[in-house]
Structure formats: C-alpha cells, structure tokens
Amino acid sequence: MEKSIDRDAKPFGTATAKDMELDDVNTIHIAPKYQGTEEDKVHMKTLGRQQETQRVFTFVTMLGFGSTLIVTWETLLTNSFAIITNGGTAGLFWGFLIVFGGFLFVYASIAELSSMAATASGQYHWVSEHAPPWAQRYLSYITGWLCIAGWQGGVTGIGMLVATIIQGLIILNNPNYVPQGWHGTLLTIAIVLFCVLFNTYGARRLPLVEGSLAVLHFGGMTLAPRNNAHDAFLQINNGGGWPSDGLSLLVGLYPLTVSLNGFDSQVHMSEETKDATRAMPRSIMWAAYINGFLGFLMAITMMFTLGDLDEILLTPTGYPFIQVFFNVTNSNVGTTLMTVIMILPLVGSVIACVATASRQVWSFARDEGVPFSATVAHVSPRWSIPINAILVSLVICVLLALINIGSAVALNAVLALGTGSILASYLICISCIALKRITGPPLPPRQWSLGKWGLPINLVAICWLVPIFVLIQFPGVTPTTAATMNFSSLLIGSVVVFATLYWFVKGRRVYVSPKERLHRELESM
C-alpha cells in the first residue's frame, strides 16, 4: 500500500517555528535533549498541549515497541485452541490473509491521522477534530472511554494469558496440580505489578527493553513439519457446531483479529517520541508489515506442524501449542524452555500495554474525561511520566482479574472487551475522517498522506471494520451456555452506558474536547 507525501505542506498546519514563540511553559521541567525536535515543539503548541513527558523514543525504538506489543505470531500460537476449533488449518491460512488485508486499510488510515495530530489522545482527539460539530463532543467523549476500556482490557487480558500459560507449564511438570481461578488471578496481578514497576522505575530503559524483546519476537519460531498440503490448505474444521463450514471460518476470524489488533498503541506514546509526526505513521505501517509477515510465517508453520488436531485439543495444559512442543521434543524440560521463549515477548507486550493504557487514561484525564481527573492527569516533575495513571491501570487490572475467580471464561471476556472496544474506536474515528473528506473543508497538512487514495482507503477500512466487529461478538461454539458465552457485546455496551450516564451527570459540564481546548488556546494568544 503506497503513501504519498504533501511535500509542499508545512509540517503542522500554517505555523512554523519562526511563526510561534515557544515559551518555557510549553516544555516545563523537561531537559532540552528530551524535548524533541523544533517541529515537535511547534506541533505541541499547535495542539494546545504542554510537553510534560520526555521524548525518549525514536522511529526504530517505536517500531520495536509496536511490534513487541502486538506479538502477532505468539498470539496466533497461544490462541491455537480457538483457531483449530473454528476453521482449522485452512481457516488459519485463508482467514489470516483476509484479516491482514483488511487491517492494512485500517492502519493506513490510522497512520495518516497520526501524522495530522501526533498526540497521546489518539482516536478521541481525531474524532473531536473531524466529527460533525453537533456531535464532536459526545462522540469524542465516548471514543475516549472505548479506548480506555480497550487498552485496560488489553493489559489484563495479556496478563491473564501469561498467567494461564504458566499454569499450563505447571500442569505439564506436575500432572497432579489442579488449577484454581484464584491462582490465575494472583499470577495475573503479579505479572502486571512487575510491568507497572518497570514502567515506573525503568521508564527510560523502556525503548531499549522493547527493542531487545523485539529481536526475540522476530526470531523465535521453530517447529517440525507433519501435515500434508491438501489437508493443510483445504480442510476446514467446524468444531464449533455451526450450520456451515463457511460460518465456522468467519467465526474463527476472531482470534486472528486479536493477533493483529492494536497498532494505535504507538500513537498513545506520541508525546514521548522524537519527530513524532514522521515517526508515528512510519512505525505503525512498518510494525504492521513486519508482524503480518511473521504472522504469515507462523500460520504456515502451524498448518504443517500441529499434527492430530483432536489430540492437541484434549491437552490437559489447556494450550495446544504446549502439547505440540511436547510432541516435538518428548521432553518436559525442552517444552518448558520453548514455552518460556513464548512467555518473554508476551511479558514485553504487557509492559508496552501498561505504557499505552496509562498514557491513554492520562491524556483523557487532561481533558476532564474521567472521575478524579486532576489526580489522574498529574505528572510529577521528578519523574516526567504519568505515575498516577500507571497506578490507575494497576487498580483496574486487579478489579478485572478478580473476574477470573468466579468465571472460567474470564480470559475470553476480557480479551473480547479489549478487542471490541479498540475496533469500535477505529470505526468511529475513520468514519469521521471519511465524512470530512466527503463534505468538509480541506484536511490539515501532514508529513504522511494517503493523497487521492485517502477516501477509498478509509471506505474500505470501514467496510472491513463493520462486519468484523459483528463477527467478534459470536460465541466460539453452539449451542451456547454460560460457560461458552461471548460477553463482548455486554461488556462494550456496559462501557458505553456507563460513559453516557457519566456524561449526563457530569461529563458534559467538565469535559473539554481537544478541539475546544485548541480554540481556547488560540483565543488566549
């Protein structure tokens, strides 16, 4: 997918570094080497924001950040149970191509938006900027809440994933172990607590660590071939009991969607990235390309190495890939080592998720979008990171992890909340920019532009997001019971209902949308 660049456009609207006097308050408490480029300073001024965090990321480290957070091939492997159940190896191959192709249009749209406004606010800022005037405040507000739900769900969901994989390893090495829900909850909290502490005390090393884990992420794929080509490419497994194999394949797109969802993560780190309006769109697209390529390699590898699908689905560890590792090595030690290679990038993903989720809630708090906004939005000059927002992410994780004590489907429910909420935020912001392209004034100048292909790409993205958002609401198997129910629609609906109620109670009086904030800044100049 090619991009075009507005070569004659000024970087961030009509202002240049000489047009604006950059006062000290715009980069308060930040050492000069962490303030970013002159264009970063102008861009923050244009957005009506102060530089409160240090710009420690570059294009390369942000590429590693996004790639490590999404962990496409690891997610495919860990979600192999759901993939095998609906679609099998054929569904994995063809479904991955469909999902990756659809998401390329989505992320091209997101990349262009990030070049227009490289801000931690992300989707809700873009909605505020491009939605129809009569709807921009409420739509922006709801989008902000969807992003919070999506990323907080992502932190807890991936933390639970790591916890349950560890429980699977315990079962492998001690068959008498009986996993309990509260075991998984405590492990989840411990994992996220570690990631929170790293985000607090190791924040400056975050680019280095994420880059190092990206190397492990890029290099850790080995299995042994077994399956024949005909069965691998053409045999669809309908283990969900759906009326047709085609519908089973469509339902099986959900775990594939999880593996490629969330490349807006880099956007929420924009205010900690140097030369953000150039680095953001490039890192988003390259992370998507790299993860898509690695995911494709893993899909091919899984097609020929999973072996007897019925056998690995019955594994006592709960994870077919652990059984596959054991079948290949015939060794508990070898299986454990191979699984640890899987766990390390997933822990790196949790670290990156905590960073993303905390910046999202911090940014929304700056605009009075959440309760106790002043406290959540506070950034200590000593740390130059939103510690209070990081702690909020920990508290939310603890509360969500408690679900695991009383429900065997907690992991699926939390992952569904994260995936569905993020997809909804994409749908809203891309719809707004498409509508503005059709009816509104010219779009802001940007360093990374889709040019004349912008509207077609936006429309294809919307046409992809609508059906996939519906399909991820389907349960994995039929008939549906309380244990197999997909609670995505209930959880996302609850977020929207709560946000709407809070909007009428308080939000509409105190929330300052990014567009309103900018207008106030301009009026005060």
Side-chain angles (χ1 to χ4, degrees):
M1 186 172 296
E2 297 293 330
K3 67 179 179 64
S4 59
I5 300 177
D6 290 348
R7 300 186 184 276
D8 297 328
K10 294 182 180 179
F12 311 111
T14 58
T16 66
K18 293 182 179 179
D19 295 330
M20 290 188 175
E21 180 180 352
L22 299 175
D23 52 40
D24 293 337
V25 120
N26 197 45
T27 53
I28 190 168
H29 305 304
I30 307 297
K33 68 177 180 178
Y34 295 125
Q35 291 177 10
T37 65
E38 288 301 312
E39 290 178 335
D40 288 326
K41 298 174 186 178
V42 174
H43 190 56
M44 291 294 286
K45 191 85 172 181
T46 303
L47 296 176
R49 299 289 190 187
Q50 291 184 359
Q51 184 67 49
E52 298 180 80
T53 54
Q54 298 178 349
R55 292 186 183 267
V56 296
F57 285 93
T58 63
F59 161 70
V60 174
T61 52
M62 187 49 60
L63 173 61
F65 179 94
S67 299
T68 305
L69 188 152
I70 302 302
V71 287
T72 297
W73 72 261
E74 294 92 339
T75 305
L76 286 178
L77 207 50
T78 55
N79 279 314
S80 53
F81 187 96
I83 294 170
I84 294 169
T85 300
N86 286 297
T89 56
L92 168 62
F93 177 78
W94 300 110
F96 186 82
L97 291 179
I98 293 170
V99 171
F100 179 58
F103 266 127
L104 279 181
F105 292 94
V106 174
Y107 293 131
S109 302
I110 296 294
E112 185 184 43
L113 285 165
S114 74
S115 191
M116 295 180 194
T119 167
S121 308
Q123 291 94 306
Y124 85 85
H125 178 105
W126 304 330
V127 172
S128 173
E129 183 74 18
H130 303 298
W134 57 270
Q136 69 91 6
R137 284 191 78 229
Y138 175 73
L139 275 182
S140 171
Y141 185 79
I142 290 297
T143 304
W145 274 101
L146 286 171
C147 288
I148 288 175
W151 282 110
Q152 299 298 339
V155 171
T156 310
I158 301 176
M160 281 185 178
L161 187 62
V162 175
T164 51
I165 292 173
I166 292 173
Q167 287 182 294
L169 282 181
I170 296 174
I171 293 172
L172 175 73
N173 291 280
N174 179 16
N176 294 323
Y177 169 67
V178 179
Q180 302 293 327
W182 64 271
H183 298 170
T185 293
L186 291 179
L187 280 171
T188 301
I189 294 172
I191 291 162
V192 175
L193 178 60
F194 165 77
C195 296
V196 164
L197 291 174
F198 184 89
N199 269 272
T200 303
Y201 294 102
R204 292 189 182 180
R205 295 179 177 85
L206 184 58
L208 175 62
V209 171
E210 292 296 338
S212 301
L213 287 171
V215 174
L216 181 60
H217 163 65
F218 296 152
M221 297 188 295
T222 51
L223 289 171
R226 294 182 181 181
N227 205 0
N228 66 76
H230 179 274
D231 290 346
F233 285 99
L234 299 177
Q235 184 173 328
I236 295 176
N237 186 50
N238 186 357
W242 297 99
S244 68
D245 289 349
L247 182 56
S248 179
L249 188 149
L250 291 175
V251 173
L253 295 180
Y254 167 61
L256 306 178
T257 301
V258 173
S259 74
L260 286 165
N261 188 40
F263 282 107
D264 64 298
S265 57
Q266 292 110 303
V267 174
H268 304 297
M269 305 298 292
S270 292
E271 294 174 36
E272 295 166 63
T273 304
K274 297 174 184 177
D275 200 14
T277 56
R278 291 184 180 90
M280 276 302 118
R282 291 165 58 212
S283 67
I284 289 170
M285 295 309 299
W286 277 105
Y289 295 146
I290 291 172
N291 273 263
F293 175 70
L294 293 177
F296 180 75
L297 291 183
M298 176 51 71
I300 296 292
T301 303
M302 290 173 64
M303 289 167 60
F304 288 97
T305 61
L306 290 178
D308 189 323
L309 300 186
D310 293 331
E311 175 198 352
I312 63 175
L313 284 174
L314 295 175
T315 175
T317 66
Y319 283 96
F321 79 90
I322 297 180
Q323 185 64 48
V324 172
F325 288 169
F326 181 80
N327 291 344
V328 171
T329 64
N330 277 320
S331 166
N332 285 359
V333 174
T335 301
T336 300
L337 289 175
M338 293 178 71
T339 305
V340 168
I341 292 176
M342 290 284 302
I343 290 175
L344 290 177
L346 289 171
V347 171
S349 179
V350 180
I351 292 173
C353 270
V354 169
T356 298
S358 61
R359 272 54 169 191
Q360 169 64 39
V361 72
W362 161 69
S363 183
F364 202 39
R366 290 187 299 184
D367 295 325
E368 303 287 340
V370 298
F372 311 109
S373 288
T375 300
V376 177
H378 176 69
V379 176
S380 169
R382 176 185 175 187
W383 297 93
S384 296
I385 57 174
I387 292 179
N388 291 351
I390 293 173
L391 294 176
V392 167
S393 294
L394 175 61
V395 171
I396 295 175
C397 167
V398 170
L399 295 175
L400 289 175
L402 292 176
I403 301 174
N404 196 50
I405 296 176
S407 172
V409 295
L411 174 59
N412 289 334
V414 174
L415 285 174
L417 170 65
T419 302
S421 297
I422 294 297
L423 289 178
S425 74
Y426 292 165
L427 182 58
I428 295 172
C429 69
I430 295 174
S431 296
C432 288
I433 191 68
L435 181 62
K436 191 168 186 178
R437 273 193 154 102
I438 295 171
T439 64
L443 299 177
R446 56 272 189 202
Q447 296 298 314
W448 199 98
S449 173
L450 295 174
K452 65 181 181 180
W453 296 103
L455 181 59
I457 288 173
N458 294 159
L459 293 177
V460 172
I462 293 168
C463 291
W464 159 251
L465 286 168
V466 170
I468 201 64
F469 180 77
V470 173
L471 286 171
I472 68 167
Q473 315 300 327
F474 280 55
V477 297
T478 59
T480 303
T481 66
T484 59
M485 178 67 182
N486 184 337
F487 292 96
S488 176
S489 56
L490 174 63
L491 293 173
I492 296 171
S494 298
V495 170
V496 173
V497 169
F498 171 80
T500 301
L501 290 175
Y502 188 75
W503 166 260
F504 284 109
V505 171
K506 185 178 181 181
R508 61 178 176 173
R509 297 197 305 272
V510 299
Y511 174 59
V512 182
S513 70
K515 189 171 185 177
E516 290 176 309
R517 182 175 296 278
L518 178 58
H519 287 167
R520 291 182 185 183
E521 290 288 334
L522 293 175
E523 290 173 358
S524 65
M525 290 177 63

